[in-house]
Structure formats: C-alpha cells, structure tokens
Amino acid sequence: MEKYIIKGGHKLQGEIEISGAKNAAVAIIPAALMVDGICRIENVPSISDTQMLLSILTHMGAKVRPLSRTTVEIDCRNVHPADAPFDLTRKIRASYYLIGAMLGRFGQAKTTMPGGCNFGVRPIDQHIKGMCAMGAQMEVSGGFVYGTTPSGRLRGAYIYLDKVSVGATMNIMIAASLAAGRTVIENAAREPHIVDLANFLNSMGADVRGAGTDTIKVNGVSRLHGGSYSIIPDQIEAGTYMAAVSAAGGELTIKNVIPKHLECISAKLREMGVEIEDGEDFLVVRRENPLLRTNVKTLPYPGFPTDMQPQITATLCLAEGTSVVTEGVWDDRYKFVNELRKMGAQIQVDGKVAVVEGVKNLTGAVVAACDLRAGAAVVIAGLCAQGTTEIEDIHYIERGYEDFVQKLRSAGADIVCVAEPDEPAQGDDSIPAAG
Ligand code: EPU
C-alpha cells in the first residue's frame, strides 16, 4: 500500500505536459478487438486502467507489443471471445466496451457486469437497449452479461438513447461499425472522447459520421483493417491541473491540450478570477488574486464535466463567499466532501446540491481518496492546506493520472508517494474498480 504525503502552501509554477485521454483510451483499446489487423495506438496514458485492459486483450489471445511507454501495437487477428478473464473484467468500468466489440466482431459476447467508481446506481440499460435494437439477444444474470445474435452478425438500427450516456454511445458505435447496414444513434453524447473513438474506428476502415453532434450515423463495413492512431490529450487531466493552480496560486503552462475542449472549465475558472491565456496547444493559467465564488452545474459535454466536479468543489472551498455546486450527471458523487471537511472545509450537501462556504485556510489531515476524481480533489486541497496532508487509497488516483506526483513535483509541489506496510491480505479483492 502506498500513500501521498503533501506539505501544503507552495504555489505551482512551471510547465506540465498532458497525457493521452483516459476515457478515450479505455474505449479504443477494447475497440481494437474489432480490428482484423495490427493497430498501432500512440499517446496511450500509462495508467493502471489501460494496463488492465491490455491484459484483458492479452488473455483473449491478442498480441500486445509495447513500442514505448505510450505507444502499443495490438494484433487481435487471433482472439478468442470465450477467454475474457472475468477476474479482471469485473474490476473495470470500461470492460462494458467488450460487449459491443465482441458482439460486433463475433456475434456473441459474455462478460461480467462492469465495476467502476461508486457514485450511486450505474445502470447499463441503454447499452443493452442498443445491442437489442441491433438484433442481439441479451441476458444479464449471475453478475454476467450474455449476448448472442441468431445470424452471427448485428444489423444496423435506429436507436434513441433515453439518457445521454457516454458509455452507451461509444459501445453502440463500436458494435455498429461491423453491423450489416446503417445505425443511427439519436440523443448521443458529444464528449471529445466520442469524436476520438469515431476517428480511431474510421482510421481502421469504419464509416462513422456525426460524432460530436447528438446524431451519429454508422454505416457498417464487413472488416476493419489495421492502422495507426494517436489518442487526444486528456481534458480532465488538464482541467485537474487548471484547478490545482487556481487553488494553490501561481502560474502553470499546461502543454499538449486542445483549448476548445477546456472552454467549459476555463469559463468557470475565469468567473472565479483566474487568468487563462489560450495558446494553439497550450494554456497559461495564473491565479494571483483571491478566488471569487461561483455556481457550477455539471452536465454532459459541452457543459461543465462531472469528472471535474470534485476538483472544482475543492477549489471553491477557498473562494470568498458561498458557492453552489449541482451534480447533474451522477446521483451520489459527494463522498469526498467528508474528507474535505476533515481539512476544515465548510460544505453542506443536500442530494445533488453542495453549498460551499469559502474558508480562509484548509488544514492538513489524514484523508482518503474515495475514487479517482475524489482523490484528485483531496490532493488539490492538500496542496493549499496549512501543514501536512496524508492521502490513503491512492490506487484510485493512479488508475487515471499518469505520473501525478512527478508532474506536480515538477511544478513546485511538495508531494511524495511513500510505501506503507501492507495490511494482512483479505481475499482476492485487493484491486478496486475505477472509472
Ligand atoms: N445511465 C443510464 N443507463 C445507462 C448508462 C448510463 O441511466 O445505460 C446514466 C448514468 O446512471 C448516469 C448518466 O446516464 O446518470 C451518464 O452515464 P454515462 O453512461 O455517460 O457514464 P459512463 O459511461 O458509465 C463515463 C466515464 C465517467 C464519466 C461519465 C460521464 C468511462 C470509463 N467513464 O462513464 O468517468 O463520469 O462517462 O461523463 O469513460 C472518471 O473518469 O472519473 C469517470 C467516472
């Protein structure tokens, strides 16, 4: 077991380079299962979620060859759909993309119900609705999801999503790429990683149009061939460092970003008195004056991202006045508030609304990362707090942020990762689920 120790009170200064987008990579790696050839994928973030997905593909017979820390070659010409390693698939949310990929390529799928960060009920009914509309017979029982197609191939369909869902949109896009005929997804999610997945599939020979709008059309093709693709920079990783420098003060140049993807975050931070200069592929984020209060509501893209809600809530703890945060995507994404309270934050939560009363200072404490973004939020609080903050359960953070400690240290933060003696083992559930 490892933990972070942060001595707070240092401004952030310097440059941080953003890695490839986690939530694009965790869809693109399973989508490689669809490809009857060799895919070379660049800018894959080196995090435990991507490592876990690559292991899943390897268990299924794929040849996975790392060419560098962030470039990998995947050859899925000889994969066996029956060999999915269920001890791994149940630990990761993004394993739901195996359903679309296996049904699309083999006309059959069996995997576990996905794991994932716990922010209330996380149904996959819209994924299943999509697969059924394309002719699959789906069954969920005993913790498994089973899918079969009577003819061995999905067929194109018109699918109206009842809820804007990133996962369902991407899963249906993957499956539909090899279906017979045209699939139309209405009320589709529009996140940058949806466009990235479409670009990946198209570069392997698929015909996906309209990604980034709420209507996506996929003309099924008979085969996807190999090719090369580079994943976009991570919007949420960049946003996390933007929030960190806004909270701690100082000036950071955040490199390798797509500023357009960050507008929803920049706009809010500017309201809080943070100065942001947009470059072609970088941002300069500066905070010298006291932070101002604001209200935030999370929404599907291009709204303010739910995956930035914990980090902005932590930042607002130090803003002058009272801010209201409304979580518009997940039912229960405020577990981290208890950890921030241990550090002196004044936050009241009522259902999906958190009222944040700004305080002059936070104080260091022993806290836990309750999930990936919750972990980022307590790190941000620790960077600003007086004294020392110890953060436990950091495995959550390391599933989604490449080189988190090293990047923050390079910008002047006093943060280290130290090993703690292991607790006695209790069963085999040591790797918790993320995403
Ligand atoms: N929903 C349904 N039915 C479904 C699917 C979703 O009702 O079949 C609901 C959910 O309960 C939620 C809303 O729709 O209220 C949105 O869920 P969505 O499907 O968009 O989320 P997801 O695909 O499970 C991904 C990211 C999450 C991120 C959300 C929203 C991955 C692996 N996870 O989850 O990322 O919060 O989209 O943007 O891509 C993270 O990176 O920290 C993270 C949790």
Side-chain angles (χ1 to χ4, degrees), residues 22-23 26 93-94 96-97 119 121-127 163-167 191 306-307 329-330 333 372-373 435:
K22 170 183 96 80
N23 286 346
V26 299
R93 185 78 193 156
Y96 52 37
Y97 295 125
F119 1 91
V121 184
R122 295 187 70 174
I124 59 162
D125 58 300
Q126 298 302 304
H127 302 236
K163 185 113 195 190
V164 179
S165 159
V166 170
E191 270 65 6
T306 172
D307 293 342
V329 177
W330 296 110
R333 205 174 191 174
L372 170 59
R373 310 302 173 187

Side-chain angles (χ1 to χ4, degrees), residues 313 322-325 334 346-350 353-358:
T313 302
T322 304
S323 307
V324 178
V325 178
Y334 286 120
Q346 300 273 340
I347 307 174
Q348 299 305 321
V349 176
D350 186 4
V353 176
V355 178
V356 186
E357 205 74 57

Side-chain angles (χ1 to χ4, degrees), residues 115-260:
C117 293
N118 178 12
F119 1 91
V121 184
R122 295 187 70 174
I124 59 162
D125 58 300
Q126 298 302 304
H127 302 236
I128 289 178
K129 171 179 166 171
M131 302 303 151
C132 289
M134 288 189 278
Q137 290 165 358
M138 303 298 296
E139 190 190 326
V140 178
S141 68
F144 286 87
V145 185
Y146 302 85
T148 51
T149 45
S151 70
R153 189 178 181 195
L154 295 170
R155 51 164 202 272
Y158 176 89
I159 301 161
Y160 185 93
L161 293 178
D162 302 321
K163 185 113 195 190
V164 179
S165 159
V166 170
T169 303
M170 306 241 261
N171 220 348
I172 295 167
M173 274 164 62
I174 293 171
S177 295
L178 287 177
R182 168 182 277 211
T183 298
V184 178
I185 312 169
E186 290 283 7
N187 201 24
R190 292 178 284 165
E191 270 65 6
H193 28 290
I194 287 175
V195 180
D196 208 39
L197 173 66
N199 289 339
F200 165 79
L201 290 167
N202 287 344
S203 70
M204 303 290 144
D207 182 357
V208 182
R209 299 170 192 209
T213 74
D214 57 11
T215 305
I216 298 177
K217 295 180 178 146
V218 186
N219 295 309
V221 296
S222 56
R223 173 175 175 261
L224 297 183
H225 52 67
S228 246
Y229 190 73
S230 182
I231 292 175
I232 52 165
D234 196 308
Q235 176 206 28
I236 303 300
E237 187 197 12
T240 299
Y241 292 116
M242 291 166 75
V245 64
S246 303
E251 179 178 311
L252 267 190
T253 301
I254 302 181
K255 292 166 58 177
N256 184 34
V257 297
I258 300 175
K260 174 83 189 150

